[in-house]
Amino acid sequence: MTVEHHTYHFDAYPMFAFVPMGKKNKRIRTVGQKVQKGMIHRLHEHVKRKVGALTQEEKQKLQTFLEQENEAVLPIPLNKEDELYPHLIKPKQLLWQTFSPMHGLPIHNNSTYQEFYLQLSTEDLDRHLDRVIRDYLFARS
């Protein structure tokens, strides 16, 4: 897995490893404008709360899944306009694959969750994140 060469980190969101999505998107410059930052902050707070409820071993599994040496536990995809991609990445997209450093991660319908996580209610977002985190933990087991 070579996703670690595609990740970007921003101090304001330590739980996330931002990844460029799409063939023509090989890097990330910023995390978007004011509206995007508000959505990222909302998502970050949900993830931070969920990760806080995990055991140390589970946190370690999530961090090693992304091959990160920081707090990042979840890859967050951004499109070529540095805006949030509307679907989270499934862990199987990151397993056993190498990615060209000249391109972002490929976009395939079966490689992302179908839920538009940006439009979910608080309760639905919590359920979706539970599923995503559970899938990442299972993939690392």
Side-chain angles (χ1 to χ4, degrees):
M1 176 171 76
T2 61
V3 74
E4 72 273 11
H5 300 296
H6 289 275
T7 58
Y8 292 81
H9 301 278
F10 297 95
D11 292 339
Y13 312 106
M15 296 280 152
F16 297 153
F18 292 93
V19 294
M21 288 294 282
K23 185 174 182 173
K24 295 184 180 189
N25 186 18
K26 61 182 170 183
R27 65 187 170 110
I28 295 172
R29 294 175 299 281
T30 182
V31 289
Q33 33 65 5
K34 190 175 183 178
V35 173
Q36 290 289 305
K37 287 181 182 179
M39 287 186 252
I40 294 170
H41 180 74
R42 175 183 183 238
L43 183 63
H44 191 266
E45 290 303 310
H46 279 274
V47 170
K48 193 159 101 175
R49 189 170 25 82
K50 295 214 169 288
V51 169
L54 297 175
T55 67
Q56 190 60 34
E57 181 183 345
E58 290 170 327
K59 288 179 199 175
Q60 200 80 38
K61 283 182 182 180
L62 289 174
Q63 290 167 338
T64 58
F65 187 90
L66 292 173
E67 298 181 10
Q68 304 294 306
E69 294 183 12
N70 53 30
E71 291 181 67
V73 295
L74 192 64
I76 302 297
L78 296 178
N79 67 20
K80 65 182 177 180
E81 286 83 31
D82 291 334
E83 295 174 343
L84 289 168
Y85 188 76
H87 306 282
L88 293 174
I89 303 168
K90 289 182 179 178
K92 71 177 185 174
Q93 168 73 356
L94 306 177
L95 292 173
W96 308 296
Q97 293 189 43
T98 58
F99 304 105
S100 168
M102 300 306 294
H103 305 291
L105 272 61
I107 299 173
H108 302 293
N109 288 339
N110 62 349
S111 65
T112 59
Y113 293 94
Q114 294 306 306
E115 293 83 353
F116 287 93
Y117 72 95
L118 301 173
Q119 299 172 351
L120 295 176
S121 68
T122 299
E123 296 80 21
D124 290 341
L125 180 59
D126 271 344
R127 278 192 294 278
H128 182 53
L129 288 173
D130 284 340
R131 176 182 173 205
V132 171
I133 290 171
R134 185 177 59 245
D135 288 352
Y136 274 87
L137 286 171
F138 178 76
R140 195 62 191 149
S141 296

